[in-house]
Amino acid sequence: IAAGYTSSFGGGSDDILLIKTDNSGTVQWAKTYGGNTNDLGFSVVENNNGYVVAGYSNSYSASNDILIIKTKKRTPSLCKP
């Protein structure tokens, strides 16, 4: 599992990219998260229920805000708080 960012696809300028590969590097799935401007992922950890991504965003305010994303493991959709 890896977290980073992409400007190639997604909804905004830069979007957080969460990507899962197998041991040989073949992509199993990839998911982007973000708003209209810059959203960057820098770190990801796996827990029993899914993944937690840390990064920052300026899509939701005028400044860079810390962004924590928690996802489900099977389908990388956002978990409800």
Side-chain angles (χ1 to χ4, degrees):
I1 189 79
Y5 60 94
T6 180
S7 57
S8 299
F9 57 95
S13 178
D14 287 321
D15 289 314
I16 293 172
L17 175 64
L18 185 61
I19 189 167
K20 172 95 170 149
T21 64
D22 63 18
N23 290 337
S24 65
T26 303
V27 174
Q28 295 180 323
W29 51 259
K31 176 77 175 167
T32 59
Y33 304 92
N36 292 330
T37 59
N38 295 324
D39 306 285
L40 287 78
F42 293 109
S43 180
V44 62
V45 294
E46 183 175 0
N47 63 27
N48 292 335
N49 300 318
Y51 307 99
V52 179
V53 180
Y56 80 83
S57 173
N58 60 16
S59 287
Y60 308 103
S61 72
S63 62
N64 292 333
D65 296 319
I66 294 172
L67 182 64
I68 304 294
I69 297 173
K70 182 179 177 184
T71 72
K72 298 177 182 177
K73 189 173 239 176
R74 290 217 175 252
T75 55
S77 58
L78 293 177
C79 292
K80 294 182 180 180

